[in-house]
Amino acid sequence: MTDQALPFGETGQPQATPEQKRATFLAVMIVFLLSALDQTIVSTAMPRIVADLHGLEIYAWVTTTYLLTSTVMVPIWGKLGDMYGRKIVLITGILIFILGSWLCGLAGEFGDLPVLGSGMTQLIVFRGLQGIGGGALFTSAFATIADLFEPRERAKYAGLFGAVFGLASVVGPIIGGWFTDHGTTDILGVHIAGWRWVFYINLPTSLLALFMISRKMPDIGTRTGGTIDYVGGILIVTSLGALMLALTHGPTDGWLDPAVDLLFALAIVTAIAFLIVQSRVKDPVLPLGLFRNKAFTTSMISSFIISMAFMGTIIYVPLYLQLVIGIKATNS
């Protein structure tokens, strides 16, 4: 059955066939799992990565850069999906994610590079690229549920995504530790450190999902049009990036160092500019009106506190356990 011949459902939008729904949902589950895993799988490999690539002072950036770019890109990818359809956005996101994963695995293999610098800096930049693709996977996964299923069916499928995210939070650090301890191999005379498989494992699974989506996913969903708030996206990245740099260099350079104070000032100014832009643009990255909803505001505050504790734990506890106590990555 072609896309033009798709039947119509309760919402008045074209509906996919049962076979298309199953194949698409399975593919989307794969890419969502990859996106969720990449927030946790690197944590137990990081002490070994630091030992190979150096750069302990920018240790946290490997994780936070991925989280920052993927989070900022969520509303942008969502708007692009509304404008051009979920399928093309999902395919584009997977391709960027594959490229980012491949480059992360290669970080530091060729020594220092022009512009990109050392291996640790390369990894941070490539993680940012990977996060851009990961944002598309995360956003499109939930949007695709709304496109594929009627309202009465959506809750159970969204619940499966929640279960997948919980699974990724548990098994991600274990998989990362196992690859770090046992994955070192020599292929055709090329030595591949075990931690690099933490990134390379994304390649075959992403290619499988890409094949399934390109062949089976129907091009459904409403084109709503609209504009993209690129200025807001740039401002929030600049603000958070400046804040992270200030917090990184503050303990070593001194909190009263002019460069650190300038970074704090830049973070504050761009944050204020971001709020002004969000209050005036037609399609903001973050609609400020949402915060008038008490349930939304409370849940965001709770999410911030929980994420701070969760990410802080999975980033720094493996570092302590491996470097101070001396246990293996898998056990940590």
Side-chain angles (χ1 to χ4, degrees):
M1 180 178 291
T2 64
D3 292 350
Q4 288 76 18
L6 291 173
F8 287 77
E10 292 178 3
T11 60
Q13 298 299 323
Q15 299 296 295
T17 65
E19 179 188 0
Q20 288 174 323
K21 286 184 178 183
R22 287 193 297 269
T24 302
F25 183 72
L26 178 59
V28 171
M29 285 279 282
I30 293 173
V31 297
F32 183 81
L33 175 62
L34 293 176
S35 178
L37 271 177
D38 255 67
Q39 298 183 27
T40 59
I41 194 173
V42 181
S43 59
T44 45
M46 276 304 301
R48 191 69 56 84
I49 293 174
V50 169
D52 287 355
L53 302 183
H54 311 294
L56 182 61
E57 67 279 1
I58 50 176
Y59 175 87
W61 279 77
V62 176
T63 300
T64 52
T65 300
Y66 177 89
L67 293 174
L68 176 61
T69 54
S70 61
T71 300
V72 170
M73 286 303 297
V74 162
I76 295 176
W77 283 122
K79 178 58 67 175
L80 288 172
D82 291 339
M83 296 169 65
Y84 304 109
R86 311 293 178 205
K87 184 173 182 177
I88 185 64
V89 167
L90 197 50
I91 290 175
T92 303
I94 293 174
L95 290 174
I96 295 175
F97 187 79
I98 290 173
L99 176 61
S101 298
W102 177 60
L103 291 174
C104 284
L106 290 176
E109 285 279 44
F110 306 104
D112 291 357
L113 296 176
V115 181
L116 294 177
S118 66
M120 196 67 169
T121 306
Q122 295 170 32
L123 180 59
I124 290 171
V125 173
F126 298 148
R127 281 285 282 174
L129 177 63
Q130 192 184 32
I132 292 174
L137 309 187
F138 201 87
T139 305
S140 299
F142 288 99
T144 300
I145 292 179
D147 290 338
L148 287 177
F149 302 104
E150 304 291 352
R152 66 173 180 269
E153 298 180 283
R154 291 173 191 167
K156 62 181 179 182
Y157 291 104
L160 289 175
F161 281 124
V164 167
F165 189 84
L167 176 67
S169 300
V170 174
V171 304
I174 298 174
I175 295 174
W178 190 89
F179 274 123
T180 301
D181 286 335
H182 307 288
T184 300
T185 56
D186 292 285
I187 300 177
L188 299 177
V190 178
H191 180 77
I192 302 177
W195 63 263
R196 297 186 185 277
W197 292 105
V198 169
F199 304 107
Y200 289 149
I201 192 63
N202 293 329
L203 304 184
T205 46
S206 295
L207 288 172
L208 173 62
L210 181 64
F211 173 79
M212 294 174 65
I213 288 171
S214 60
R215 292 294 300 271
K216 295 294 185 180
M217 182 176 179
D219 190 14
I220 59 178
T222 305
R223 307 293 195 273
T224 60
T227 58
I228 299 174
D229 180 19
Y230 291 111
V231 175
I234 293 172
L235 285 172
I236 190 63
V237 169
T238 303
S239 178
L240 294 178
L243 178 62
M244 289 168 59
L245 281 171
L247 294 175
T248 299
H249 293 289
T252 56
D253 298 345
W255 297 108
L256 298 180
D257 182 81
V260 173
D261 293 340
L262 183 62
L263 286 170
F264 275 122
L266 177 62
I268 294 171
V269 170
T270 49
I272 294 173
F274 171 75
L275 294 175
I276 294 173
V277 169
Q278 297 309 284
S279 65
R280 296 182 179 180
V281 297
K282 181 180 178 181
D283 295 308
V285 168
L286 178 62
L288 300 181
L290 290 172
F291 291 97
R292 288 195 289 268
N293 185 314
K294 184 178 293 187
F296 175 83
T297 303
T298 303
S299 64
M300 288 301 100
I301 294 173
S302 301
S303 178
F304 173 79
I305 296 172
I306 292 171
S307 297
M308 182 169 59
F310 174 69
M311 298 309 300
T313 299
I314 67 170
I315 291 174
Y316 286 107
V317 168
L319 180 68
Y320 171 77
L321 293 176
Q322 292 180 49
L323 297 188
V324 178
I325 299 181
I327 67 177
K328 292 183 177 181
T330 306
N331 294 333
S332 73

